[in-house]
Amino acid sequence: MSVYDEIEIEDMTYDSTLEIYHYPCPCGDRFEISIADLKDGEEIAVCPSCSLMIRVIFDMASAMGLRAWEDWLVHER
């Protein structure tokens, strides 16, 4: 799989209402990846308007906040 770029999650914008991270795409839309996808181990954000994809570089504990990550681990085990 070919990705357009690799982007640190800290450089992305988080939408707490939709629980997604997004980043501008060259086509004018934006790459998106949800917290649920990140929890499932997904690291590829896609643009819904074109075929470009980016790899999201992240540490799950940082992405979710350490407390939220610990809570998720407790409830998912």
Side-chain angles (χ1 to χ4, degrees), residues 8 12-14 16 18 22-23 26 28 32 34 39-40 44 52 57 59-60 64 66-67 69 73-75:
E8 297 278 343
M12 300 179 79
T13 303
Y14 181 66
S16 59
L18 299 175
H22 56 86
Y23 188 81
E32 297 180 345
S34 70
K39 285 181 185 178
D40 289 340
I44 302 298
L52 292 179
I57 307 301
D59 169 53
M60 184 55 80
M64 293 180 65
L66 185 55
R67 184 69 180 158
W69 178 242
L73 284 174
V74 168
H75 291 97

Side-chain angles (χ1 to χ4, degrees), residues 14-30:
Y14 181 66
D15 182 327
S16 59
T17 303
L18 299 175
E19 296 187 334
I20 62 165
Y21 281 92
H22 56 86
Y23 188 81
C25 180
C27 79
D29 203 348
R30 61 189 187 180

Side-chain angles (χ1 to χ4, degrees), residues 5 22 26 33 37 39 43 46 49 60 75:
D5 203 352
H22 56 86
I33 190 164
D37 288 340
K39 285 181 185 178
E43 60 181 18
V46 297
S49 297
M60 184 55 80
H75 291 97

Side-chain angles (χ1 to χ4, degrees), residues 1-9 12 31 33 41-46 52-58:
M1 169 181 5
S2 177
V3 295
Y4 171 72
D5 203 352
E6 293 187 350
I7 304 295
E8 297 278 343
I9 200 161
M12 300 179 79
F31 299 101
I33 190 164
E42 183 61 56
E43 60 181 18
I44 302 298
V46 297
L52 292 179
M53 298 178 281
I54 58 172
R55 182 176 319 281
V56 179
I57 307 301
F58 69 99

